Amino acid sequence: MERPFTLRWEGGLNGHLVLLDQTRLPAETVYLECRTVEDVWQAIKRLSVRGAPAIGVAAAYGVCLGVQSGRSVDEVCDYLATSRPTAVNLFWALERMRKAASRGVLAPVRGGGPPGSLNTLTELLLAEACAIHEEDRQQCAAMARHGADLLSDFPDGGGILTHCNTGALATGGEGTALAVVFELARRGKHPHVWAGETRPLLQGARLTMWELQQRDIDATLICDSVAAQVMREGRIDAVITGADRIAANGDTANKIGTLGVAALAKVFGIPFYVAAPVTTFDLSIKTGADIPIEQRAAAEITEGFGLQTAPQNAHVYNPAFDVTPAELISAIITDRGIVAPVNAHQVAITLSP
Amino acid sequence: MERPFTLRWEGGLNGHLVLLDQTRLPAETVYLECRTVEDVWQAIKRLSVRGAPAIGVAAAYGVCLGVQSGRSVDEVCDYLATSRPTAVNLFWALERMRKAASRGVLAPVRGGGPPGSLNTLTELLLAEACAIHEEDRQQCAAMARHGADLLSDFPDGGGILTHCNTGALATGGEGTALAVVFELARRGKHPHVWAGETRPLLQGARLTMWELQQRDIDATLICDSVAAQVMREGRIDAVITGADRIAANGDTANKIGTLGVAALAKVFGIPFYVAAPVTTFDLSIKTGADIPIEQRAAAEITEGFGLQTAPQNAHVYNPAFDVTPAELISAIITDRGIVAPVNAHQVAITLSP
């Protein structure tokens, strides 16, 4: 049986995007066919596809769908940019699509149509989206290698705490933080993953546990509030999470709850690592204070899984992300190598072309 | 309309215990009639009644029900002691009932029956259970006063983070940690409570938010993983939780997640207080390492909301409590005054008769 895939383009120039609907996991493996850019916008908004790199890839394919219907690349990109505010890979991918389009319209390098024609444009855009997807795959593989090298003295059977989902479901490839885990497993380290369930939407329980089970990686599910306890019990050798946006100084926005595990790792003397491709860095902002934080609906908490679990009209604070300051991060694992110590200088060195 | 009550005895010597079924809140206000000791055991086990002091009171009434059916006090107490292992108030209340019974059988001080008769015994036991209940009410009031005095420089409109439920639903009176909040409100401080939802069983979302709404206290519900973020945002002036068992050195077992917020409070420079009556101390154990921690079913996490939210057969670690070391606790608020700094010496001084 084919392993479920996260997202792929099917059917050539007039094709469409097929996405695994992650809101239905782990109970059901259901694919969504996105045939319009609106379908992609909705899929991103409602988290059918999530994870910063995967959002970028999905948005790139979304641009292809948008121009199929005759809209301009700018119009389509502006629209897709409104789907989610925090993950910078979204804006990065849209920018790449804009640039590809402007290159193509000015000087088409391939395809049968006349310069600037729709056929040439859609060809160029699809080629660019596929390139973004393929590069993301390669970035995941590179992060896996660099991360496993960094953890070369990881003890056999050691524990890794992670938060949210950072595997194949979150990227175009094998993952960010989980890719490091998969590589440690290939190197015979038998990592045991402690997966925080990741309230309110339970990406850790629903997605990470599902991916780890599929790959036969030992894993234990915990409520987010158990992180301190398993650290205190000495079960955790490293914490690794992904990132949604990293500022020039290394401050990292990631799924709400990341700041807490980073601060607890500090208290309990455990290294805290972030794994993210260079596309997750946003050098236009100096510190995490400037990263916009998406606020989500109260109902995600008060009636998350069908039951009313808080009084009617309860006031709720539901930020989707928090920002972990650079000083709490032991190292950032990127596809271009390790950022450590985490500061503006080291970020600049690692990201310089 | 009468405010819902947590538990009360109805009907005299041959009466029964009526409990608010807290598993149904906030959606429904349903009372359970406990007419046998088995009913009480089940109500404690399945958390229809929970909170260390309330468990003690319920167990005391449960002894009355047990002897109604002709069983010995020792037999009934041994049985009730198996309902939950961590909250020491349970064992304390059962011990008081045993002592009352032995006093009564040897030298009855009231009642119409001959010495040692069932009537005298049930009278004595019911009187003792009522006394435990009433003393718990008074202890709550005393903690409220001592706690509010301790927080005398609490800023108007300041923020208090709490975890789990520690109000009237958890005690025979107004509560432990929440009683301090209620007293601050009566003193015109307008406290704003940040309630951690308290996974897996959501006592914060279901019970604390419900109690605060009933009493018109400003409150915001957060996922447990948001605690670090609201601390970092400067919204929290104090953290106050309850306790299920406190060792002689001040190490405190409380609802899973408490250790995390205590450690985070330390990181962010916020005082962390525990509020508990002296009946929650267990001077027979030196440190928290000796407190037995109840492990609960995986299904509380994997299908807590009625939906399957993790893969089948996912391995789960679900301790009901964790232990916060004394050095992370700024002060313990008891009905006999404040323990601070928290160490064996100060605990002994506060608890000495």
Side-chain angles (χ1 to χ4, degrees), chain B residues 138-153:
Chain B
Q138 292 170 10
Q139 286 170 339
C140 290
M143 278 182 279
R145 288 192 303 273
H146 291 306
D149 289 349
L150 178 68
L151 275 75
S152 62
D153 57 356

Side-chain angles (χ1 to χ4, degrees), chain A residues 217-270:
Chain A
I217 308 274
D218 282 341
T220 301
L221 174 63
I222 55 173
C223 291
D224 301 322
S225 61
V226 184
Q229 178 63 14
V230 293
M231 288 183 187
R232 186 154 188 251
E233 290 172 1
R235 299 176 189 259
I236 308 299
D237 297 286
V239 181
I240 318 181
T241 73
D244 288 83
R245 193 185 303 204
I246 304 175
N249 73 338
D251 288 355
T252 295
N254 192 45
K255 177 59 57 197
I256 185 73
T258 303
L259 169 63
V261 293
L264 291 172
K266 184 92 165 184
V267 170
F268 291 100
I270 298 164

Side-chain angles (χ1 to χ4, degrees), chain A residues 26 197 199 205-206 210 213 219-221 223 225 229 232-233 257 267 301 305 309-312 315-317 322-323, chain B residues 26 197 199 205-206 213 219-221 223 225 229 232-233 257 267 301 305 309-312 315-317 322-323:
Chain A
E197 63 172 357
R199 283 285 286 154
R206 295 189 300 106
W210 183 81
Q213 200 173 67
T220 301
L221 174 63
C223 291
S225 61
Q229 178 63 14
R232 186 154 188 251
E233 290 172 1
V267 170
I301 296 178
F305 293 85
T309 53
Q312 296 288 341
H315 185 246
V316 172
Y317 179 50
D322 55 28
V323 174
Chain B
E197 64 173 357
R199 283 285 285 154
R206 294 189 300 107
Q213 202 173 66
T220 300
L221 174 63
C223 292
S225 61
Q229 178 64 13
R232 187 156 188 249
E233 289 170 2
V267 170
I301 296 178
F305 304 91
T309 54
Q312 295 289 340
H315 185 245
V316 172
Y317 180 49
D322 55 28
V323 175

Side-chain angles (χ1 to χ4, degrees), chain A residues 148-173:
Chain A
D149 289 349
L150 178 68
L151 276 75
S152 61
D153 59 356
F154 184 80
D156 189 35
I160 292 178
L161 178 77
T162 191
H163 191 64
C164 200
N165 172 266
T166 60
L169 291 170
T171 62

Side-chain angles (χ1 to χ4, degrees), chain B residues 59-135:
Chain B
Y61 287 125
V63 175
C64 300
L65 291 171
V67 297
Q68 277 180 0
S69 68
R71 273 177 281 182
S72 77
V73 172
D74 276 342
E75 183 187 348
V76 170
C77 288
D78 288 348
Y79 169 65
L80 282 166
T82 63
S83 58
R84 293 195 75 189
T86 302
V88 78
N89 309 59
L90 171 64
F91 310 109
W92 170 87
L94 294 173
E95 190 55 30
R96 264 191 63 165
M97 296 301 280
R98 282 188 222 258
K99 282 186 182 156
S102 66
R103 276 199 316 272
V105 170
L106 295 170
V109 292
R110 56 198 289 195
S117 77
L118 189 61
N119 235 19
T120 305
L121 184 64
T122 53
E123 263 189 37
L124 273 167
L125 290 173
L126 185 55
E128 189 72 5
C130 290
I132 288 173
H133 196 168
E134 176 55 28
E135 288 167 33

Side-chain angles (χ1 to χ4, degrees), chain B residues 196-251:
Chain B
E197 64 173 357
T198 315
R199 283 285 285 154
L201 297 182
L202 303 175
Q203 290 92 337
R206 294 189 300 107
L207 309 181
T208 296
M209 290 299 289
W210 182 81
E211 279 199 51
L212 293 169
Q213 202 173 66
Q214 288 211 326
R215 287 173 183 254
D216 285 324
I217 307 274
D218 283 342
T220 300
L221 174 63
I222 56 173
C223 292
D224 301 321
S225 61
V226 185
Q229 178 64 13
V230 293
M231 288 182 186
R232 187 156 188 249
E233 289 170 2
R235 299 175 189 259
I236 307 299
D237 296 286
V239 181
I240 318 181
T241 72
D244 288 83
R245 192 185 304 203
I246 304 176
N249 73 339
D251 288 355

Side-chain angles (χ1 to χ4, degrees), chain A residues 90-114:
Chain A
L90 170 65
F91 310 109
W92 170 87
L94 295 173
E95 190 56 31
R96 264 192 64 167
M97 296 301 280
R98 282 188 222 260
K99 281 186 180 154
S102 67
R103 276 201 316 273
V105 170
L106 295 170
V109 293
R110 58 198 284 196

